[in-house]
């Protein structure tokens, strides 16, 4: 099956969609990046974008998205 990922981004928000379903959502609020991954109950928080992306990737792997 072909995977169909789509990215939407702006200065303070990054969204990753799979088949038009929001899977990974990163957004910056009060200088902190908040990370939400479908299948994870926890909302993660990181101060810099690189750490936020690495956390999102790890959470997505744990949920079987990547």
């Amino acid at each position: 099956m072909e995977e169909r990922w789509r990215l939407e981004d702006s200065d303070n928000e990054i969204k990753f969609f799979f088949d038009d379903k929001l899977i990974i959502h990163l957004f910056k609020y009060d200088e902190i990046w908040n990370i939400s991954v479908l299948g994870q109950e926890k909302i993660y928080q990181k101060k810099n974008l690189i750490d936020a992306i690495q956390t999102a990737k790890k959470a997505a792997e744990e949920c079987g998205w990547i």
Side-chain angles (χ1 to χ4, degrees):
M1 178 178 186
E2 180 181 323
E3 294 183 336
R4 295 170 294 271
W5 284 95
R6 179 171 51 92
L7 168 70
E8 290 181 6
D9 66 331
S10 65
D11 289 342
N12 295 317
E13 186 172 44
I14 301 170
K15 296 178 182 178
F16 291 92
F17 295 86
F18 180 77
D19 286 341
D20 294 325
K21 180 185 281 190
L22 181 61
I23 303 300
I24 301 169
H25 186 202
L26 296 92
F27 63 96
K28 191 173 188 180
Y29 179 75
D30 283 342
E31 303 301 317
I32 300 290
W33 283 97
N34 295 274
I35 306 110
S36 174
V37 176
L38 184 64
Q40 291 277 335
E41 293 182 22
K42 182 177 180 180
I43 304 281
Y44 301 93
Q45 295 183 327
K46 299 291 178 183
K47 289 188 176 187
N48 68 58
L49 181 57
I50 292 172
D51 289 342
I53 291 171
Q54 290 173 341
T55 299
K57 181 179 183 264
K58 183 179 176 184
E61 287 172 343
E62 289 174 3
C63 292
W65 290 112
I66 54 176

